[in-house]
Amino acid sequence: MQPVIAVLGSANAARRYEPPVREHQAALIAAAELGAELAERGCRLTVYSSDPRFIEHAVVRGYVQSGRARPRSVIVRGRFGGDIGFRELEQHPDLFAVAPDPSPDWEVAYYRSLLAVDGVVLLGGERSTFIAGLIALSRRIAVAPLATFGGGAEKVWRRLGSEPGLATEDEVAVLSQPWRTAASAAEVVGSLLTQHERRQDREAANSRADRAVRRRAVVGAIAAVLLLLATLASVPIAFTLPNGAWPTLSILFVAPVLASTWGAVVRNIYDGAVQWLRAAALGSAAGTIAFLLFLAAQLSTSPAMLSEDGSRRLVLFAVIVGFIGGFTSEVVYRKLRAQDVVKTPVLPPPGGWPLS
């Protein structure tokens, strides 16, 4: 689909503008040349009113007279029962797509339609033109305010230069140059379409990044399910192996690693994060440390536990401790950082300190 461009503004010599609109007749000629150039570039056109006080009638005239307008390429979004009396609509009805707004308030139809365009060209105008430009800037769509003719478009051009990432310095400079007939129209429309292509590239990059995030989330969920199955499988395997043999002891140490990794990945999914590999690495380490501390406590009270039938029962505790350690890995690391692992108090001499 070709971009939809709205050309907005007015250059009425009988009206006062702030800042003033300069060269009223030249502005209307420029509007017609812009319409012709938009048709040459294959853009679709959105207009609002056929009232000669606004520039749309000149834009539509240039667009149709170019001979490059396509069927239904001029979208008329005026109020129902009015604003659509374009002379070209009677002569070339196949080029127009009339979409009247049911609201009797022209501002509602005007501002709401700006959410459906891909770019705007601003020429002259006053308050409504300035607001339309601000809407375009806030949506970060392509915008080409012609500063050379003054009016609200000039105010938007000053804002465009201070908005990073929308238009380059060269593009902003083009929009301030004196009008030089059709060559200026080509430069302005070229700047507008370059901004539009830049926005499309940015949206495509964001879409690819979103898809990559979703893929990582799906892979993380699959990894969590596989780790769950592997963790649960370690329990019956431990009870089927000979007690005290190295395979049983291997399962005893593998089970908490699997359980802690599973817990860390589940916590990562629960928090809505996607860096599940990092979470798995940190969680497996935290869960393993937690299990080793638990095992050390058990061995201190029952040194023969690993050679007896208790080693099998420890697998169940290993899974529980490992999962909790992985799921709450940040708590484990905070506890470890808070511990004074190496305590070096002054030791009393043999027989104790002398009494004074």
Side-chain angles (χ1 to χ4, degrees), residues 220-221 223-232 234-235 252-270 279-280 282-292 294 314-333:
V225 173
L226 295 177
L227 288 167
L228 166 62
L229 297 176
T231 301
L232 294 179
S234 65
V235 177
L252 177 61
F253 286 92
V254 169
V257 176
L258 293 174
S260 58
T261 308
W262 167 43
V265 175
V266 169
R267 174 62 182 271
N268 186 71
I269 297 173
Y270 178 80
L282 294 175
S284 62
T288 302
I289 291 297
F291 169 71
L292 291 177
F294 167 77
L314 278 179
V315 174
L316 293 172
F317 293 98
V319 169
I320 297 172
V321 173
F323 177 84
I324 295 174
F327 192 82
T328 61
S329 57
E330 74 283 355
V331 177
V332 175
Y333 286 117

Side-chain angles (χ1 to χ4, degrees), residues 66-355:
S66 70
R68 302 298 300 273
R70 300 179 182 181
R72 302 180 62 82
S73 59
V74 181
I75 305 169
V76 183
R77 294 191 176 276
R79 292 172 295 179
F80 178 74
D83 299 334
I84 57 174
F86 291 97
R87 181 183 307 172
E88 292 79 9
L89 177 59
E90 301 175 358
Q91 301 170 350
H92 306 279
D94 59 310
L95 301 181
F96 289 77
V98 180
D101 195 281
S103 174
D105 189 345
W106 70 269
E107 288 183 320
V108 174
Y110 179 70
Y111 294 125
R112 181 165 55 194
S113 68
L114 293 176
L115 302 178
V117 301
D118 300 308
V120 295
V121 178
L122 306 175
L123 193 157
E126 238 286 344
R127 183 179 67 89
S128 61
T129 301
F130 177 64
I131 295 175
L134 295 183
I135 293 174
L137 291 176
S138 65
R139 289 189 58 212
R140 307 189 72 81
I141 62 175
V143 56
L146 302 184
T148 186
F149 295 110
E154 180 182 338
K155 294 169 65 177
V156 176
W157 175 81
R158 295 183 185 278
R159 294 292 297 269
L160 177 64
S162 62
E163 292 285 342
L166 290 178
T168 64
E169 292 184 2
D170 291 340
E171 291 165 352
V172 173
V174 164
L175 300 174
S176 66
Q177 300 301 315
W179 196 259
R180 301 186 306 277
T181 66
S184 295
E187 291 179 350
V188 169
V189 174
S191 169
L192 186 77
L193 295 182
T194 300
Q195 292 180 52
H196 176 63
E197 292 171 0
R198 189 181 302 124
R199 181 174 188 262
Q200 284 186 313
D201 293 340
R202 184 167 59 246
E203 289 180 343
N206 292 337
S207 179
R208 289 193 297 270
D210 291 341
R211 288 196 298 270
V213 168
R214 289 194 294 269
R215 283 196 299 268
R216 288 198 295 270
V218 170
V219 172
I222 295 173
V225 173
L226 295 177
L227 288 167
L228 166 62
L229 297 176
T231 301
L232 294 179
S234 65
V235 177
I237 291 175
F239 279 87
T240 58
L241 294 174
N243 183 54
W246 70 265
T248 307
L249 297 178
S250 299
I251 292 295
L252 177 61
F253 286 92
V254 169
V257 176
L258 293 174
S260 58
T261 308
W262 167 43
V265 175
V266 169
R267 174 62 182 271
N268 186 71
I269 297 173
Y270 178 80
D271 290 339
V274 295
Q275 296 180 341
W276 64 272
L277 279 175
R278 178 178 180 273
L282 294 175
S284 62
T288 302
I289 291 297
F291 169 71
L292 291 177
L293 292 174
F294 167 77
L295 182 61
Q298 299 302 313
L299 291 177
S300 64
T301 58
S302 180
M305 178 173 289
L306 295 183
S307 61
E308 298 174 354
D309 190 57
S311 61
R312 293 176 173 177
R313 294 194 300 270
L314 278 179
V315 174
L316 293 172
F317 293 98
V319 169
I320 297 172
V321 173
F323 177 84
I324 295 174
F327 192 82
T328 61
S329 57
E330 74 283 355
V331 177
V332 175
Y333 286 117
R334 187 163 60 247
K335 288 287 187 181
L336 290 175
R337 285 196 297 267
Q339 290 294 326
D340 186 4
V341 178
V342 182
K343 296 183 179 181
T344 58
V346 178
L347 298 177
W353 297 105
L355 297 177

